[in-house]
Amino acid sequence: MQANSFTSNSRMRFFVKLALLLLLIAALDMAIGATLQVLYFRQVGGEDHLATYAIERTRADIIILGDSRANHHYVPDILSSKLGLTAYNTGRDGQSILYSRAVQKAILDRYRPQIMIIDITPNELIYTSQSYARLSELLPYYKRHPEIRDVILKKSNTERLKLISHIYPYNSKILEIIRYNLGKSHHIKAYNGYIPREGVIKDVNVRDEPLGNVRLDATCVDTLDQMISDVLDAGIPLYVIISPVYSPYADVAESYRAIKRVTLAHNVPFWDYSGDPRFSGKPTLFSDRSHLNDHGARIFTALVAERVKADLEKRRRANRTDSF
Amino acid sequence: MLFNSLHFVFFFPIVVALYFATPGRFRWMLLLFASYYFYMSWKAEYLLLIIASTLIDYVAGLQMGKTPDKNKRKKYLWLSLASNLGMLFGFKYFNFFNESVRHVFDYFNIFYNVPAFNVLLPVGISFYTFQTMSYSIDVYRGAREPEKHLGIFALYVSFFPQLVAGPIERSSRLLPQFRKEQTFDYDRVTSGMKTMVWGYFKKLVIADRLALFVNVVYNNPGHYSGINLLVATIFFAFQIYCDFSGYSDIAIGTARIMGYDLMENFRRPYFSRSIQEFWSRWHISLSTWFRDYLYIPLGGNRTVKWRYYYNLLVVFLVSGLWHGADWTFVIWGALHGLYLVAGLATLELRRRVKAALFKQNTFIPRLVATSATFSLVLFSWVFFRANSTSDAFLIVSKIAALQGPLDVEEPAIFLLSLMSIATLVLIELQQEFPFVRFSPFSHHNVLVRHISYALIVIIILLIGVFDAGQFIYFQF
């Protein structure tokens, strides 16, 4: 009897203390999470600030979507000067079509741009776990942006549970949040989202290594399809572009076929510069195998701008002819 | 089911609640069911392998216990060893040896057409086979009586806290614990929880954070400078330590909550003053297993010098192979064997040098010895982590040239990595040479203790890596 009551007191003591500890953790989680939320959206520089600007504030006429290749290949100022429209580059390093979809949804929820450009990598639609893991960059927007929650929840099927924690969306961001609350990055206003790359390729024989065992990601294919549909439904001219590469990507066949199939199904201009001899194999135009340097980006953007201009002119003439 | 998964976060409290609600004599059933469920969450079919190993070793043990005739006992011992080693060879080593033989045949232009065996390595096979073999060997030697209760024996083989990555427990330590009635003990439960939280901290905050840098650099060594490779190697030394010891801590803490004591598996190995000491502090359950079941049967150090050195080399070559079916692991093991042999051969010389240079001073010799040991271990980690032998030699040559610059693509992640290593070193320095009296986790004031525990959890939420996935030693 005595042993039982001792054990039962021991258990009671344990559960009471455990409950108090959990309450303390929950309280700290809420308080620190709320503080991080305020600080996160107050950042004045860095990639998170650029993402917030793209998702919540830009009202540029031309929107560029994509990953690092989008971010480092399209110079908004050149597009602006050639097309007479404002431009903003929402591309982000390390991201995928899933991230672009979220940014696009957030933008279309706020206003209607005049042109959208989706920069796509030839192997973009191949499954990689990083495409999903890196959606963690969008976690801070989960509460404020219901329109992109479905994209964020693609990260894993336990995200809803993890998002009970107020700190979790800011996981691994503490140093940057502190840094960019103290100082400013000069890239935003000067370049409208575009971050130039400097330097030239050192190893002129650099090649992409095949991964082997690649498979098409049906979710990414559907995402591209939905992105195109939404833009066309909004009546916005859309261009799907593969920007230049120094040397060809490996493992692209299935992804490339899927991109072609989807763009053809929607009758959307699909411009492939991946093998363009004006760029491919020219080390002075690239900072590495996948990314143009600033010099290369300016040449490329000018080409794209001219082509978009010609295409828009053709559409205008076609519309005038139709109406007549 | 990984310890760092939400699945386990729900699984474990349910198991503990049911465990303490279940009458003592039925608890083995609950734990066995939970352990099988735990293992099946990886690949249900592989449960059959554990069950087969369990049944074979159970019967072999019983049969050995029935007869004092050593020759008859030996047959059953061989049955146990052959079945366990056969499984291990088939799933883990067949393709390695097959490819090695193929290369030899190709070199001599001889046709060789034995196909590869394409099957996923069962998680934890290296651990549970070694655990059951230790039981069979102990029964054969007469060191213990065979376990007659099949259920309890099955639990010994498959006990979920230590099933997939150790510690490799001896039957004499673990089996009797399953017979003891475990009551809820506040101090033991809180101690177990603290150990688990520290394990999660090491895994999520330190190991998986370091892995972000290490994986990028080691997966493309040609692209990075010597300094990058050196930094990645140092990071890997702490990554593998925190990953593996973190797992062990979670295993030990999990078991302790339910009343079971698992053996200490790591004891601050990077404070070792010699390779010999390193192996008394690193993966203790494996090193003692090899000592008792391979090294001593070979003759140990009770033999002529050349044979003593030979025994050490054999043990460490086998240890290297245990870790992985690749020449990089064999080289890693061979290096440690050579280190030990060289250490023994120069022991007297080093003692004389130390006495001549440092007289009564103990700090500088200790610092030199610890640094030298860490450097030797660090060098061997290159082979352990590299994706191939050619990568390993490329990395070694680039580190030797030590050309820069240090290329850090994400400064924030790099800084967090450095801070996490610094935290670990400070905490372990305090544990090794207690220099600060204040310890928030064992403070007499309950509020201080609770705030400390809460802050650890908050730090894990703030900077832990949640997408990294499995523990390194699961691949062994």
Side-chain angles (χ1 to χ4, degrees), chain A residues 201-250:
Chain A
I201 283 188
K202 293 184 186 84
D203 177 9
V204 297
N205 297 317
V206 66
R207 292 285 176 271
D208 190 27
E209 292 299 324
L211 294 167
N213 280 332
V214 296
R215 61 178 168 92
L216 205 58
D217 185 338
T219 303
C220 289
V221 176
D222 288 343
T223 300
L224 176 63
D225 187 73
Q226 285 158 12
M227 284 178 80
I228 295 173
S229 294
D230 282 2
V231 173
L232 296 181
D233 287 347
I236 301 169
L238 172 69
Y239 302 92
V240 177
I241 303 176
I242 298 180
S243 47
V245 292
Y246 175 74
S247 60
Y249 276 87

Side-chain angles (χ1 to χ4, degrees), chain A residues 276-296:
Chain A
D276 191 315
R278 289 172 289 186
F279 296 95
S280 297
K282 299 230 160 55
T284 54
L285 299 180
F286 288 84
S287 64
D288 61 48
R289 198 188 59 78
S290 306
H291 301 99
L292 293 165
N293 55 28
D294 185 48
H295 176 53

Side-chain angles (χ1 to χ4, degrees), chain B residues 234-262:
Chain B
I234 294 171
F235 277 15
F236 180 70
F238 288 98
Q239 177 199 342
I240 191 166
Y241 170 56
C242 289
D243 192 287
F244 196 11
S245 68
Y247 178 92
S248 291
D249 284 340
I250 298 169
I252 290 166
T254 302
R256 190 178 296 151
I257 286 172
M258 294 184 289
Y260 304 105
D261 277 318
L262 299 182

